[in-house]
Amino acid sequence: DAKTTQPPSMDCAEGRAANLPCNHSTISGNEYVYWYRQIHSQGPQYIIHGLKNNETNEMASLIITEDRKSSTLILPHATLRDTAVYYCIVREWDTDKLIFGTGTRLQVFP
Amino acid sequence: ETGVTQSPTHLIKTRGQQVTLRCSSQSGHNTVSWYQQALGQGPQFIFQYYREEENGRGNFPPRFSGLQFPNYSSELNVNALELDDSALYLCASSRGGVRNTGELFFGEGSRLTVL
């Protein structure tokens, strides 16, 4: 049973920032938020994860609200190769498992 | 640093047969978990291995079993295959054992078709 809610699809123009929202209102205090993406049924690709502070790496930024009930993944300059299904996931603390939902299908257009 | 590798990449079995899927974890990673992804759905957790022991299991029957070896590689075994077992099987590795909070990296998966 997924702990996250995401819009089923989004569009973004190439070169613009893609902002992917995620709701996780039942998240526990010690559970991390992970983001992955999956292209054409390849293995999910790790993007970023965080607990409560904002995080940034070479791929993306993760903004987590102060109450931790929602987060946003930001791809600063989307390219056509960023077209994929993006999964926002809460990693269960007591089992370590990633509980995937249905994800957001991001389409980047020229 | 080598990534997570899985074999075979594709295979076809018939109902009732048994299958073994293999996974080599990323260098330095000692924890392995397995996921099943049916067509059009998100991956579902099967189980996790750390120190050669299963330490977490999802809602899968006992005919799904696994092993972890001293070099941290792992196998997933499925007995008495059913048509619904057709899926992409994903292996993920991480560092730090149970309740670690680090990155978790997936392999490209083994696509199983059961006829």
Side-chain angles (χ1 to χ4, degrees), chain B residues 52-110:
Chain B
E52 303 176 50
E53 291 190 1
E54 181 184 302
N55 56 44
R57 190 177 184 94
N59 189 25
F60 282 82
R63 60 189 185 84
F64 285 78
S65 63
L67 286 172
Q68 186 181 31
F69 300 99
N71 65 354
Y72 309 128
S73 66
S74 177
E75 286 183 355
L76 165 65
N77 298 290
V78 187
N79 294 322
L81 284 168
E82 301 176 0
L83 298 179
D84 286 347
D85 295 333
S86 295
L88 181 67
Y89 288 86
L90 296 160
C91 170
S93 75
S94 58
R95 190 194 330 250
V98 178
R99 296 182 185 170
N100 72 81
T101 57
E103 299 123 333
L104 211 136
F105 295 107
F106 283 85
E108 292 301 319
S110 295

Side-chain angles (χ1 to χ4, degrees), chain A residues 56-107:
Chain A
T56 297
N57 62 21
E58 65 279 3
M59 287 185 68
S61 294
L62 174 60
I63 309 298
I64 302 174
T65 58
E66 194 169 341
D67 63 8
R68 300 211 326 122
K69 293 185 176 181
S70 65
S71 59
T72 301
L73 178 73
I74 301 172
L75 306 178
H77 305 287
T79 71
L80 298 178
R81 287 182 294 181
D82 291 325
T83 293
V85 177
Y86 286 76
Y87 292 101
C88 169
I89 300 155
V90 169
R91 190 175 186 188
E92 283 195 343
W93 172 248
D94 55 348
T95 64
D96 280 345
K97 65 181 176 183
L98 300 173
I99 303 178
F100 287 76
T102 53
T104 295
R105 183 171 298 278
L106 176 67
Q107 180 70 52

